[in-house]
Amino acid sequence: MLWEEILRALLGSFIGTVGFAMLVHVPRRSWLASGVIAAFSYLVYWISLRLGLSDPSSIFLGSLFGSLAGQLCARKMKMIGTVFLMSAVVPVVPGLGLYRMMAFLARNRLSEGLSMGVRAMITIAMIALGLAAGALLDRMFHSRGLKNHHI
């Protein structure tokens, strides 16, 4: 039962991300890597939630993992990191939350709309922080490795 849930989460994230990559014309040679990074980023998020972390903390950890994996993959494949970073967060983007916020606001249910909007903005902030922290860590360790290599 648990393995089925994990497999569904991995597969759903992978397929959704590869579909998104096709839709926005990401280079074909990055589709597989983008899907795998997104699937495992979502798995980090999913496991973090099951371990009792809050949703924002779990989103941060998933985004951080995706950022680190995306930076590494970009360097190995000699591609721009944005391709992989964008793909890494596709599964946790709060599209449904933003849609519900607008639906509540349109129905003049302001309190519910505001609550949904705040949650969506927190999610967006955690994604941005996770990606930025991953880029910072990557830059710190990668630049240190380069300096030591040339000495």
PDB file of all heavy atoms in Angstrom, residues 113-133:
ATOM      1  N   GLY A 113     -11.128  33.034   0.686  1.00  0.00           N
ATOM      2  CA  GLY A 113     -10.240  33.405  -0.407  1.00  0.00           C
ATOM      3  C   GLY A 113      -8.917  33.941   0.099  1.00  0.00           C
ATOM      4  O   GLY A 113      -7.848  33.583  -0.416  1.00  0.00           O
ATOM      5  N   LEU A 114      -8.980  34.787   1.124  1.00  0.00           N
ATOM      6  CA  LEU A 114      -7.763  35.341   1.701  1.00  0.00           C
ATOM      7  C   LEU A 114      -6.910  34.233   2.327  1.00  0.00           C
ATOM      8  O   LEU A 114      -5.694  34.176   2.130  1.00  0.00           O
ATOM      9  CB  LEU A 114      -8.109  36.396   2.754  1.00  0.00           C
ATOM     10  CG  LEU A 114      -6.930  37.070   3.447  1.00  0.00           C
ATOM     11  CD1 LEU A 114      -6.048  37.781   2.428  1.00  0.00           C
ATOM     12  CD2 LEU A 114      -7.422  38.044   4.497  1.00  0.00           C
ATOM     13  N   SER A 115      -7.553  33.330   3.044  1.00  0.00           N
ATOM     14  CA  SER A 115      -6.839  32.212   3.664  1.00  0.00           C
ATOM     15  C   SER A 115      -6.145  31.354   2.607  1.00  0.00           C
ATOM     16  O   SER A 115      -4.970  30.978   2.749  1.00  0.00           O
ATOM     17  CB  SER A 115      -7.817  31.365   4.470  1.00  0.00           C
ATOM     18  OG  SER A 115      -7.179  30.232   4.987  1.00  0.00           O
ATOM     19  N   MET A 116      -6.853  31.038   1.549  1.00  0.00           N
ATOM     20  CA  MET A 116      -6.281  30.227   0.473  1.00  0.00           C
ATOM     21  C   MET A 116      -5.137  30.986  -0.208  1.00  0.00           C
ATOM     22  O   MET A 116      -4.108  30.395  -0.547  1.00  0.00           O
ATOM     23  CB  MET A 116      -7.376  29.890  -0.545  1.00  0.00           C
ATOM     24  CG  MET A 116      -7.045  28.796  -1.497  1.00  0.00           C
ATOM     25  SD  MET A 116      -6.729  27.185  -0.770  1.00  0.00           S
ATOM     26  CE  MET A 116      -8.300  26.753  -0.118  1.00  0.00           C
ATOM     27  N   GLY A 117      -5.296  32.281  -0.392  1.00  0.00           N
ATOM     28  CA  GLY A 117      -4.254  33.100  -1.013  1.00  0.00           C
ATOM     29  C   GLY A 117      -2.991  33.174  -0.165  1.00  0.00           C
ATOM     30  O   GLY A 117      -1.881  33.088  -0.693  1.00  0.00           O
ATOM     31  N   VAL A 118      -3.150  33.302   1.140  1.00  0.00           N
ATOM     32  CA  VAL A 118      -1.994  33.350   2.034  1.00  0.00           C
ATOM     33  C   VAL A 118      -1.232  32.027   1.969  1.00  0.00           C
ATOM     34  O   VAL A 118      -0.005  32.003   1.886  1.00  0.00           O
ATOM     35  CB  VAL A 118      -2.421  33.685   3.480  1.00  0.00           C
ATOM     36  CG1 VAL A 118      -1.311  33.423   4.478  1.00  0.00           C
ATOM     37  CG2 VAL A 118      -2.878  35.132   3.570  1.00  0.00           C
ATOM     38  N   ARG A 119      -1.963  30.915   1.988  1.00  0.00           N
ATOM     39  CA  ARG A 119      -1.303  29.601   1.901  1.00  0.00           C
ATOM     40  C   ARG A 119      -0.545  29.455   0.575  1.00  0.00           C
ATOM     41  O   ARG A 119       0.557  28.930   0.540  1.00  0.00           O
ATOM     42  CB  ARG A 119      -2.316  28.476   2.060  1.00  0.00           C
ATOM     43  CG  ARG A 119      -2.641  28.226   3.530  1.00  0.00           C
ATOM     44  CD  ARG A 119      -3.468  26.987   3.689  1.00  0.00           C
ATOM     45  NE  ARG A 119      -4.860  27.448   3.688  1.00  0.00           N
ATOM     46  CZ  ARG A 119      -5.903  26.709   3.464  1.00  0.00           C
ATOM     47  NH1 ARG A 119      -5.773  25.440   3.194  1.00  0.00           N
ATOM     48  NH2 ARG A 119      -7.114  27.211   3.505  1.00  0.00           N
ATOM     49  N   ALA A 120      -1.161  29.923  -0.511  1.00  0.00           N
ATOM     50  CA  ALA A 120      -0.491  29.836  -1.817  1.00  0.00           C
ATOM     51  C   ALA A 120       0.771  30.700  -1.843  1.00  0.00           C
ATOM     52  O   ALA A 120       1.801  30.281  -2.377  1.00  0.00           O
ATOM     53  CB  ALA A 120      -1.454  30.261  -2.929  1.00  0.00           C
ATOM     54  N   MET A 121       0.709  31.890  -1.262  1.00  0.00           N
ATOM     55  CA  MET A 121       1.874  32.770  -1.235  1.00  0.00           C
ATOM     56  C   MET A 121       2.994  32.185  -0.367  1.00  0.00           C
ATOM     57  O   MET A 121       4.176  32.316  -0.696  1.00  0.00           O
ATOM     58  CB  MET A 121       1.501  34.165  -0.727  1.00  0.00           C
ATOM     59  CG  MET A 121       0.613  34.949  -1.677  1.00  0.00           C
ATOM     60  SD  MET A 121       1.396  35.132  -3.290  1.00  0.00           S
ATOM     61  CE  MET A 121       0.142  34.468  -4.334  1.00  0.00           C
ATOM     62  N   ILE A 122       2.639  31.537   0.729  1.00  0.00           N
ATOM     63  CA  ILE A 122       3.648  30.873   1.569  1.00  0.00           C
ATOM     64  C   ILE A 122       4.329  29.765   0.763  1.00  0.00           C
ATOM     65  O   ILE A 122       5.549  29.609   0.806  1.00  0.00           O
ATOM     66  CB  ILE A 122       3.023  30.331   2.872  1.00  0.00           C
ATOM     67  CG1 ILE A 122       2.651  31.499   3.781  1.00  0.00           C
ATOM     68  CG2 ILE A 122       3.967  29.364   3.580  1.00  0.00           C
ATOM     69  CD1 ILE A 122       1.818  31.110   4.990  1.00  0.00           C
ATOM     70  N   THR A 123       3.535  29.015   0.011  1.00  0.00           N
ATOM     71  CA  THR A 123       4.093  27.954  -0.826  1.00  0.00           C
ATOM     72  C   THR A 123       5.065  28.542  -1.848  1.00  0.00           C
ATOM     73  O   THR A 123       6.172  28.027  -2.033  1.00  0.00           O
ATOM     74  CB  THR A 123       2.968  27.187  -1.554  1.00  0.00           C
ATOM     75  OG1 THR A 123       2.152  26.546  -0.578  1.00  0.00           O
ATOM     76  CG2 THR A 123       3.517  26.160  -2.513  1.00  0.00           C
ATOM     77  N   ILE A 124       4.668  29.610  -2.497  1.00  0.00           N
ATOM     78  CA  ILE A 124       5.533  30.261  -3.488  1.00  0.00           C
ATOM     79  C   ILE A 124       6.827  30.747  -2.836  1.00  0.00           C
ATOM     80  O   ILE A 124       7.922  30.568  -3.390  1.00  0.00           O
ATOM     81  CB  ILE A 124       4.784  31.406  -4.188  1.00  0.00           C
ATOM     82  CG1 ILE A 124       3.665  30.835  -5.066  1.00  0.00           C
ATOM     83  CG2 ILE A 124       5.738  32.283  -5.002  1.00  0.00           C
ATOM     84  CD1 ILE A 124       2.665  31.857  -5.554  1.00  0.00           C
ATOM     85  N   ALA A 125       6.714  31.326  -1.645  1.00  0.00           N
ATOM     86  CA  ALA A 125       7.906  31.805  -0.936  1.00  0.00           C
ATOM     87  C   ALA A 125       8.832  30.644  -0.579  1.00  0.00           C
ATOM     88  O   ALA A 125      10.058  30.757  -0.712  1.00  0.00           O
ATOM     89  CB  ALA A 125       7.492  32.562   0.324  1.00  0.00           C
ATOM     90  N   MET A 126       8.282  29.527  -0.151  1.00  0.00           N
ATOM     91  CA  MET A 126       9.113  28.367   0.212  1.00  0.00           C
ATOM     92  C   MET A 126       9.791  27.764  -1.019  1.00  0.00           C
ATOM     93  O   MET A 126      10.937  27.323  -0.942  1.00  0.00           O
ATOM     94  CB  MET A 126       8.286  27.298   0.920  1.00  0.00           C
ATOM     95  CG  MET A 126       7.821  27.685   2.311  1.00  0.00           C
ATOM     96  SD  MET A 126       9.193  27.996   3.449  1.00  0.00           S
ATOM     97  CE  MET A 126       9.207  29.771   3.516  1.00  0.00           C
ATOM     98  N   ILE A 127       9.100  27.759  -2.144  1.00  0.00           N
ATOM     99  CA  ILE A 127       9.723  27.294  -3.388  1.00  0.00           C
ATOM    100  C   ILE A 127      10.903  28.198  -3.737  1.00  0.00           C
ATOM    101  O   ILE A 127      12.004  27.721  -4.027  1.00  0.00           O
ATOM    102  CB  ILE A 127       8.703  27.260  -4.548  1.00  0.00           C
ATOM    103  CG1 ILE A 127       7.672  26.147  -4.324  1.00  0.00           C
ATOM    104  CG2 ILE A 127       9.414  27.076  -5.889  1.00  0.00           C
ATOM    105  CD1 ILE A 127       6.496  26.190  -5.292  1.00  0.00           C
ATOM    106  N   ALA A 128      10.688  29.501  -3.689  1.00  0.00           N
ATOM    107  CA  ALA A 128      11.750  30.457  -4.021  1.00  0.00           C
ATOM    108  C   ALA A 128      12.929  30.324  -3.056  1.00  0.00           C
ATOM    109  O   ALA A 128      14.089  30.328  -3.485  1.00  0.00           O
ATOM    110  CB  ALA A 128      11.200  31.879  -4.003  1.00  0.00           C
ATOM    111  N   LEU A 129      12.645  30.177  -1.764  1.00  0.00           N
ATOM    112  CA  LEU A 129      13.716  30.031  -0.780  1.00  0.00           C
ATOM    113  C   LEU A 129      14.493  28.730  -0.991  1.00  0.00           C
ATOM    114  O   LEU A 129      15.723  28.707  -0.877  1.00  0.00           O
ATOM    115  CB  LEU A 129      13.159  30.084   0.641  1.00  0.00           C
ATOM    116  CG  LEU A 129      12.761  31.457   1.154  1.00  0.00           C
ATOM    117  CD1 LEU A 129      12.055  31.340   2.505  1.00  0.00           C
ATOM    118  CD2 LEU A 129      13.982  32.350   1.277  1.00  0.00           C
ATOM    119  N   GLY A 130      13.786  27.654  -1.287  1.00  0.00           N
ATOM    120  CA  GLY A 130      14.445  26.375  -1.531  1.00  0.00           C
ATOM    121  C   GLY A 130      15.348  26.429  -2.746  1.00  0.00           C
ATOM    122  O   GLY A 130      16.488  25.950  -2.721  1.00  0.00           O
ATOM    123  N   LEU A 131      14.848  27.024  -3.828  1.00  0.00           N
ATOM    124  CA  LEU A 131      15.660  27.154  -5.043  1.00  0.00           C
ATOM    125  C   LEU A 131      16.875  28.045  -4.805  1.00  0.00           C
ATOM    126  O   LEU A 131      17.987  27.734  -5.241  1.00  0.00           O
ATOM    127  CB  LEU A 131      14.822  27.699  -6.193  1.00  0.00           C
ATOM    128  CG  LEU A 131      13.720  26.782  -6.732  1.00  0.00           C
ATOM    129  CD1 LEU A 131      12.928  27.489  -7.820  1.00  0.00           C
ATOM    130  CD2 LEU A 131      14.288  25.473  -7.238  1.00  0.00           C
ATOM    131  N   ALA A 132      16.667  29.163  -4.097  1.00  0.00           N
ATOM    132  CA  ALA A 132      17.768  30.085  -3.822  1.00  0.00           C
ATOM    133  C   ALA A 132      18.807  29.442  -2.901  1.00  0.00           C
ATOM    134  O   ALA A 132      20.015  29.581  -3.134  1.00  0.00           O
ATOM    135  CB  ALA A 132      17.233  31.375  -3.201  1.00  0.00           C
ATOM    136  N   ALA A 133      18.349  28.742  -1.865  1.00  0.00           N
ATOM    137  CA  ALA A 133      19.286  28.082  -0.946  1.00  0.00           C
ATOM    138  C   ALA A 133      20.094  27.013  -1.677  1.00  0.00           C
ATOM    139  O   ALA A 133      21.307  26.885  -1.461  1.00  0.00           O
ATOM    140  CB  ALA A 133      18.525  27.467   0.231  1.00  0.00           C
TER     141      ALA A 133
END
